[in-house]
Amino acid sequence: MANKNYDIPELQLLAAGLRGKVVEMSAASGAAHLASALSCIDILVAAYWGPLNINPGDAANPLRDRFILSKGHAASALYAVLAERGFFPRALLDQFAKFGSPLAEQPAPGCAPGVELATGSLGHGLPVGAGHALAAKILGQDYEVLVCMSDGECNEGTVWEAAMFAAARKLQNLTVIVDYNGWQATGRSNEIMALAPLKEKWAAFGWRTHEIDGHDFAALGGALRREAQHVGQPTAIIAHTVKGKGVSFMEDDNNWHYRIPKDSEVDAARKELGLS
């Protein structure tokens, strides 16, 4: 299902509304990882209202493009995007992380249409994505696989094993986008495991690489287009983002990795986002 062409102001308004929704979801459910969800909203919007070949009414079509949110702790962002995109009713978001709800705090197997994989234990999204991409190559199918990872996830050995595998198998239908917000649970990403220079690391593993501003829709759209890929190589996009993006008192403040917003903070966030 091809998307219509959205202009950048439309995408920015859409992202602002989704940010407001995930702030509300965190407050209502008492679920953490709000700032991690806010940092990747623009990436998800650029993908789901951009090049992904998907049909919300036929979410299990074997020829669909696959989007895997490997950083499962940002599930609220994925759920909000899927609901807005029409995979399931928006009203279901009110049950996020509630007892008995299909929308668990981190994605469960088959929990909702459009959720490709149970994630949360970091480091597994890319290996599974590489498997999907290899299956398409073996079967002669023309679908793409996009994996969104956290920067802290690049600490995991499974990531680099999968990176070597994807390059060896020339999986040009596989793209990784790293939400490089600079924080992990307890500190700065580059201090905990010396990730930098991350673009050069992916290139050394045989990947075509791009380094962009992860909140710039023009840059995101350009990097995600099929024609930006390279024959015979998987693609890695290092997207520099801001944890807590869109809400000034949350931006680049790692306390919001676990903090839950109060009602007054929800109101303040919505006001900043232009929603009230």
Side-chain angles (χ1 to χ4, degrees):
M1 177 179 171
N3 290 327
K4 83 176 187 73
N5 290 324
Y6 289 83
D7 61 30
I8 289 175
E10 286 180 298
L11 295 175
Q12 290 170 334
L13 285 172
L14 183 59
L18 289 165
R19 284 191 165 92
K21 187 60 184 177
V22 299
V23 170
E24 293 173 353
M25 290 164 66
S26 176
S29 63
H33 302 122
L34 171 58
S36 299
L38 294 174
S39 71
C40 68
I41 286 283
D42 296 328
I43 293 169
L44 271 64
V45 168
Y48 277 92
W49 280 266
L52 282 181
N53 180 24
I54 54 172
N55 183 348
D58 189 16
N61 188 315
L63 299 181
R64 72 193 182 281
D65 286 347
R66 274 78 163 160
F67 180 93
I68 295 174
L69 183 69
S70 193
K71 48 174 288 182
H73 51 287
S76 61
L78 177 62
Y79 297 150
V81 163
L82 290 174
E84 189 67 26
R85 192 67 174 79
F87 282 85
F88 51 82
R90 293 184 184 93
L92 188 58
L93 297 176
D94 295 337
Q95 299 302 311
F96 169 60
K98 301 289 180 65
F99 181 77
S101 169
L103 302 185
E105 189 170 351
Q106 303 204 28
C111 64
V115 177
E116 293 286 353
L117 183 67
T119 55
S121 180
L122 298 176
H124 300 308
L126 179 55
V128 174
H132 278 290
L134 180 62
K137 185 175 181 179
I138 291 170
L139 296 172
Q141 296 176 340
D142 188 34
Y143 64 78
E144 304 283 323
V145 182
L146 175 58
V147 179
C148 179
M149 296 171 42
S150 66
D151 48 358
E153 196 170 358
C154 294
N155 296 355
E156 302 286 348
T158 50
V159 167
W160 300 107
E161 182 178 358
M164 285 190 288
F165 173 85
R169 296 298 183 272
K170 304 184 187 308
L171 299 181
Q172 65 191 55
N173 58 337
L174 175 63
T175 298
V176 159
I177 184 161
V178 180
D179 178 19
Y180 201 167
N181 64 37
W183 286 100
Q184 298 180 31
T186 58
R188 292 284 185 184
S189 301
N190 287 330
E191 295 172 358
I192 291 174
M193 285 293 280
L195 290 182
L198 193 55
K199 177 185 175 183
E200 288 78 3
K201 286 184 172 68
W202 284 94
F205 275 70
W207 289 56
R208 178 81 163 180
T209 57
H210 305 271
E211 192 159 17
I212 63 170
D213 178 346
H215 302 303
D216 181 332
F217 282 110
L220 284 163
L224 288 170
R225 284 196 305 267
R226 286 193 180 198
E227 55 265 33
Q229 297 170 348
H230 188 69
V231 174
Q233 283 183 292
T235 298
I237 303 167
I238 311 305
H240 291 273
T241 61
V242 177
K243 198 164 186 177
K245 176 67 175 178
V247 182
S248 64
F249 56 88
M250 298 181 186
E251 287 189 348
D252 205 38
D253 181 351
N254 204 40
N255 288 314
W256 288 98
H257 192 77
Y258 295 116
R259 265 202 64 189
I260 310 302
K262 303 172 184 176
D263 290 344
S264 61
E265 291 169 325
V266 173
D267 292 341
R270 286 184 54 82
K271 185 175 180 179
E272 283 198 20
L273 291 163
L275 304 175
S276 59

